[in-house]
């Protein structure tokens, strides 16, 4: 037997881990490692899997909520029983690591593609800003306008980041995932806040350029309004790039980190007693059969002899009742 600590949320629930241990790939690995097909003379792997799982047992501690799994295996050889349990846990660890690595690679690849896109977006924004400054000669604007631009840019950056977070969750989470629902709710709240801010700017006399909202800070000259639009686009692109780069680095480090979530509490040891068959049951059954079989044999013999006597008697009676004709 072996105890395994299962961190809730880190590597899945205990039920999921038990199902993984019962999967064909894990069971096949144990069968091949101990040559169980040859030893038990199983012709087909299907029967070998069934035979192994009949002797395998894993239970999760649901009563105390500790998340500890107890694994056991029955075998004629005590040492091999312990080795098979340890092998199941080792194969589970490998499987969990492979699954975690696959998820980490997928996450890293996603952020890498997003990083390339926002990097190009940032480059385009920088080039547009430089061309505008070269053509207009505008270098700086009022400090108040900068603050308003920063506020709008920060909100749009948060919306973009939340969209990326939702896209990442959708790649591996179900629709009813609590974390996904929370992220969608937060996104809707930020979008409402941005919409309210834009409507407020319209009511206060904000000017528009190419459909984009330009923040109004009194009578800002036409060039200053254009400058705000380019500056806002540059800030949003820069903030998105910084966010995406940090997420990409985190995913890249997670890909090479130790992703094992299994903690072995007690390794499996050879048992010092037999689980089955029960000696008491064997003794009782032996005594019962020892008394019952001779009695049944004697009773059967008596019945057979009695039946023979009855048949012989009926035959003699039939012979006595038969009339012979005298010629």
């Amino acid at each position: 037997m072996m105890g395994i600590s299962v961190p809730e949320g880190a590597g899945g629930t205990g039920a999921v881990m038990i199902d993984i241990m019962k999967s064909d790939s894990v069971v096949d690995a144990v069968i091949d490692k101990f040559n169980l097909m040859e030893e038990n003379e199983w012709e087909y792997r299907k029967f070998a899997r069934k035979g192994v799982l009949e002797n395998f047992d894993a239970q999760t501690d649901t009563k105390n909520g500790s998340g500890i799994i107890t694994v056991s295996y029955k075998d004629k050889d005590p040492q091999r029983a312990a080795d098979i349990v340890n092998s199941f846990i080792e194969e589970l660890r490998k499987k969990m690591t492979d699954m975690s690595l696959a998820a980490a690679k997928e996450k890293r690849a996603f952020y890498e593609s997003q990083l390339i896109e926002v990097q190009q977006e940032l480059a385009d924004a920088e080039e547009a800003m430089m061309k505008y400054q070269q053509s207009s000669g505008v270098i700086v604007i009022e400090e108040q306008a900068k603050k308003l631009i920063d506020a709008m840019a920060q909100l749009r950056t948060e919306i973009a980041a939340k969209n990326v977070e939702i896209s990442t969750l959708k790649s591996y989470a179900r629709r009813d995932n609590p974390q996904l629902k929370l992220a969608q709710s937060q996104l809707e709240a930020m979008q409402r806040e941005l919409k309210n801010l834009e409507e407020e700017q319209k009511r206060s006399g904000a000017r528009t350029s190419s459909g984009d909202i330009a923040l109004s800070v009194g009578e800002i000259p036409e060039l200053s309004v254009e400058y705000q639009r380019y500056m806002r686009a540059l800030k949003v692109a820069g903030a998105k790039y910084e966010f995406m780069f940090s997420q990409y680095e985190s995913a890249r480090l997670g890909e090479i980190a130790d992703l094992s979530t299994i903690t072995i509490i007690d390794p499996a040891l050879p048992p010092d007693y037999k689980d089955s068959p029960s000696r008491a049951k064997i003794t009782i059954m032996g005594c019962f059969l020892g008394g019952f079989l001779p009695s049944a044999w004697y009773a059967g013999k008596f019945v057979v002899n009695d039946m023979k006597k009855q048949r012989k008697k009926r035959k003699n009676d039939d012979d006595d009742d038969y009339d012979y004709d005298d010629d």
Side-chain angles (χ1 to χ4, degrees), residues 193-211:
E193 183 180 352
L194 178 60
K195 184 178 180 180
N196 292 336
L197 182 58
E198 290 175 347
E199 290 177 354
E200 182 179 351
Q201 292 301 313
K202 288 180 180 178
R203 290 193 299 268
S204 63
R207 302 177 183 180
T208 61
S209 176
S210 302

Side-chain angles (χ1 to χ4, degrees), residues 141-150 215 217 220 228:
I141 59 175
E142 300 176 12
E143 186 66 25
Q144 185 179 1
K146 285 184 178 181
K147 292 181 180 179
L148 292 174
I149 292 174
D150 291 343
L215 299 177
V217 286
I220 302 178
Q228 292 179 54

Side-chain angles (χ1 to χ4, degrees), residues 209-226:
S209 176
S210 302
D212 196 11
I213 300 299
L215 299 177
S216 176
V217 286
E219 295 298 327
I220 302 178
E222 185 68 23
L223 290 178
S224 181
V225 173
E226 287 294 312

Side-chain angles (χ1 to χ4, degrees), residues 16-264:
V16 172
M17 287 193 170
I18 292 174
D19 288 341
I20 292 175
M21 283 190 285
K22 292 182 179 181
S23 64
D24 289 348
S25 58
V26 172
V27 175
D28 286 347
V30 174
I31 292 173
D32 295 338
K33 183 175 181 179
F34 294 94
N35 298 319
L36 297 179
M37 288 191 67
E38 293 79 1
E39 181 171 337
N40 294 277
E41 297 182 353
W42 285 319
E43 184 178 1
Y44 300 105
R45 189 165 289 270
K46 174 183 178 181
F47 300 143
R49 293 168 182 162
K50 183 179 179 181
V52 169
L53 291 178
E54 285 178 352
N55 294 317
F56 173 83
D57 184 59
Q59 301 291 334
T60 307
D61 181 15
T62 56
K63 183 177 180 180
N64 299 321
S66 62
I68 294 178
I69 301 175
T70 302
V71 183
S72 62
Y73 189 83
K74 294 181 180 180
D75 193 83
K76 295 179 180 179
D77 184 351
Q79 182 60 53
R80 188 171 61 179
D83 293 340
I84 289 178
V85 171
N86 290 324
S87 181
F88 264 105
I89 304 308
E90 184 61 29
E91 293 299 327
L92 171 64
R93 188 195 297 274
K94 292 179 182 178
K95 197 72 173 178
M96 294 294 294
T97 301
D98 292 342
M99 293 168 61
S100 299
L101 284 174
K105 287 182 179 179
E106 184 177 349
K107 188 176 181 180
R108 190 264 305 160
F110 172 79
Y111 281 121
E112 187 175 12
S113 63
Q114 294 293 313
L115 181 62
I116 294 173
E117 292 181 8
V118 298
Q119 190 173 11
Q120 183 61 43
E121 183 180 341
L122 176 60
D124 294 342
E126 290 174 342
E127 184 178 0
M129 185 65 175
M130 182 180 66
K131 289 181 178 179
Y132 172 74
Q133 288 179 327
Q134 290 175 348
S135 61
S136 65
V138 176
I139 304 300
V140 295
I141 59 175
E142 300 176 12
E143 186 66 25
Q144 185 179 1
K146 285 184 178 181
K147 292 181 180 179
L148 292 174
I149 292 174
D150 291 343
M152 184 69 79
Q154 179 64 29
L155 183 57
R156 294 188 177 185
T157 300
E158 292 175 358
I159 291 175
K162 189 59 66 175
N163 276 317
V164 172
E165 180 183 349
I166 291 174
S167 298
T168 305
L169 289 171
K170 285 182 177 180
S171 65
Y172 62 87
R174 298 177 59 182
R175 293 183 178 179
D176 57 352
N177 185 279
Q179 190 175 356
L180 177 59
K181 288 185 176 181
L182 176 61
Q184 291 174 335
S185 176
Q186 293 173 339
L187 175 62
E188 292 174 359
M190 288 187 289
Q191 288 174 337
R192 288 195 298 269
E193 183 180 352
L194 178 60
K195 184 178 180 180
N196 292 336
L197 182 58
E198 290 175 347
E199 290 177 354
E200 182 179 351
Q201 292 301 313
K202 288 180 180 178
R203 290 193 299 268
S204 63
R207 302 177 183 180
T208 61
S209 176
S210 302
D212 196 11
I213 300 299
L215 299 177
S216 176
V217 286
E219 295 298 327
I220 302 178
E222 185 68 23
L223 290 178
S224 181
V225 173
E226 287 294 312
Y227 181 87
Q228 292 179 54
R229 185 169 68 86
Y230 284 109
M231 177 60 72
R232 181 171 63 248
L234 180 60
K235 284 182 174 291
V236 169
K240 287 170 64 176
Y241 177 80
E242 291 179 1
F243 169 78
M244 203 62 62
F245 183 78
S246 65
Q247 294 297 314
Y248 169 74
E249 284 296 308
S250 176
R252 187 178 65 83
L253 292 175
E255 188 176 357
I256 61 177
D258 183 10
L259 301 175
S260 176
T261 59
I262 300 175
T263 302
I264 299 175

